[in-house]
Amino acid sequence: MGQSTSTAASSGRRESSQSQISKTKSKALIYPMQVDDAEGQQGTIDGDKDYISKLPDECLACIFQSLGSGDRKRCSLVCRSWLRIEGQSRHRLSLNAPSELLHMIPCIFSRFDAVTKLALKSDRKSESIGDEGLVLISLKCRNLKRLKLRSCRGLTDAGMEAFAKNCKGLKKLSCGSCTFGAKGMNAVLDNCSALEELSVKRLRGITDGAAEPIGPGVAALALKTICLKELYNGQCFGPVIIGAKNLRTLKLIKCTGDWDKLLPVIANRVTCLVEVHLERIQVTDLGLAGISSCLDLEILHLVKTPECTNMGLVLLAERCRLLRKLHIDGWKANRIGDEGLIAVAKGCSNLQELVLIGVNPTKLSLESLASNCKNLERLALCGSDTVGDAEISCIGAKCLALKKLCIKSCPVSDQGLEAFAGGCPNLVKVKLKKCRGVTPEGAEWLRATRESLAVNLDNGTADHQDASASDGGAQENVVENPPPPPVNTQMEAAVPSSSTARSSSWKSKLGVVSILKRWSSGNSSSRGI
């Protein structure tokens, strides 16, 4: 009996010990970086070594930066170490910014303490984050380089001033539908000497004609891009534009006021301008004549400015001989036509891209463009009543460098498409939209005749979105709708309590392992191993 009891007790202890070892092995399988195996197999997975546990934080951070936003979030749930590294390696953050965000800011930026690009967006119907929240963020993110504010109506001049004093290294500021005014904008320009890009849209604090002038400030010398949209008094930005001696891009879009007086002054003072957009603003040929002083101008967008005529375009084409891209939306005003386009053809031989909307060119101007602009690669003709089969045939015969052609709402038929069967030897894509004379059979014939040519036909029955225009890459490193849980909850998330959570964390590790293997094989092949 005694021996039997002793044997049973010994057997029970062995089973208990094996059970404990089994549990420990199970934990080591899930968290090989944190738990030591009872048999001394630290950092092993099914007998194989776990190299991930030995990776430096910098390597894991580099891997995380190669993942999309969803995968990064899942990786942050694997363990405490990955949660910490993922947060410290995230440089871009996008947050919904209601007033309730204020009490979450310390928690958010204690985890994401390396953010350099921040977007704060608020719903127009709700109260947005205020000065206190913005100042707190500026104290947590001293290295902030880019800030985007959307509908943050709770911000005032005082909040922007405090922010600018704390984030003097800011390089890009984009604000839209905010309520601070000239004083807040001047505070940014006076403190952020490294500011290179300024984009302002619907700044509601600037409404009357007697608004305080904005700029130039210490930021003027660093500014390279200024974009003003939908401003009631955009001309109050005149001092900062004129003072930006190194400005290369100027975009004026739907800003009220007469710009004819200011544009010549800008062109005389700012000699480095390469790109100018004039869209839906009050400007005439006088303004175009002023812009013609920008001898280095390469890109010009002239959109829905009905008072600009052939005369202004001729003056500009005679002086801006480096022009590469020209977009004209004539708004069916018939103020720009063959005369202006022929002047462009003769003066701007480096033209590579031409977009004409609501302009009526004829075979005469198109032939001149084709003959003189030998590098013309991209051409778009939209809403042109004079572009028919004869004009298309001219393009097919003369535009030898053309690669992409877009024709929309023009009286073109299948007969005109025949010109591309053998013409334009470098053509790779033709897009036809709302051209009622072009039939699916005609488009199919062109595809069959020239197999290397991509022909996209849209007769207007349905709008097809061009996949090449979509841009999902900008969202890869964005965290939306944080709101992050308290620190304790984050710690609990690092220790999954269900098989589903264990499976998710294990798959995340396997995903990182596969990335490491790809990188390793790439390095080996590059070394000739």
Side-chain angles (χ1 to χ4, degrees), residues 351-427:
L351 196 66
Q352 297 176 359
E353 179 175 307
L354 177 63
V355 176
L356 300 177
I357 303 173
V359 178
N360 292 322
T362 67
K363 183 179 178 181
L364 185 65
S365 58
L366 290 175
E367 188 172 14
S368 180
L369 286 164
S371 300
N372 293 282
C373 302
K374 301 295 186 180
N375 298 320
L376 187 63
E377 297 180 349
R378 296 174 296 277
L379 176 63
L381 303 171
C382 306
S384 301
D385 298 331
T386 58
V387 176
D389 290 340
E391 287 71 24
I392 295 301
S393 298
C394 174
I395 293 172
K398 301 286 186 178
C399 295
L400 302 181
L402 196 65
K403 294 182 178 179
K404 295 183 179 181
L405 174 65
C406 177
I407 304 173
K408 179 180 178 182
S409 301
C410 295
V412 179
S413 69
D414 291 345
Q415 184 178 356
L417 295 186
E418 296 177 2
F420 301 119
C424 297
N426 293 302
L427 194 63

Side-chain angles (χ1 to χ4, degrees), residues 258-308:
D258 185 359
W259 289 88
D260 278 343
K261 295 180 179 179
L262 189 57
L263 284 175
V265 179
I266 294 173
N268 288 330
R269 301 282 185 87
V270 184
T271 59
C272 298
L273 274 176
V274 173
E275 182 175 356
V276 174
H277 293 223
L278 306 177
E279 303 183 15
R280 294 195 181 190
I281 65 172
Q282 185 179 341
V283 62
T284 68
D285 291 338
L286 293 176
L288 288 184
I291 292 296
S292 68
S293 298
C294 302
L295 302 182
D296 294 332
L297 190 66
E298 297 181 9
I299 302 172
L300 175 64
H301 287 212
L302 204 58
V303 177
K304 296 182 178 178
T305 54
E307 296 185 29
C308 292

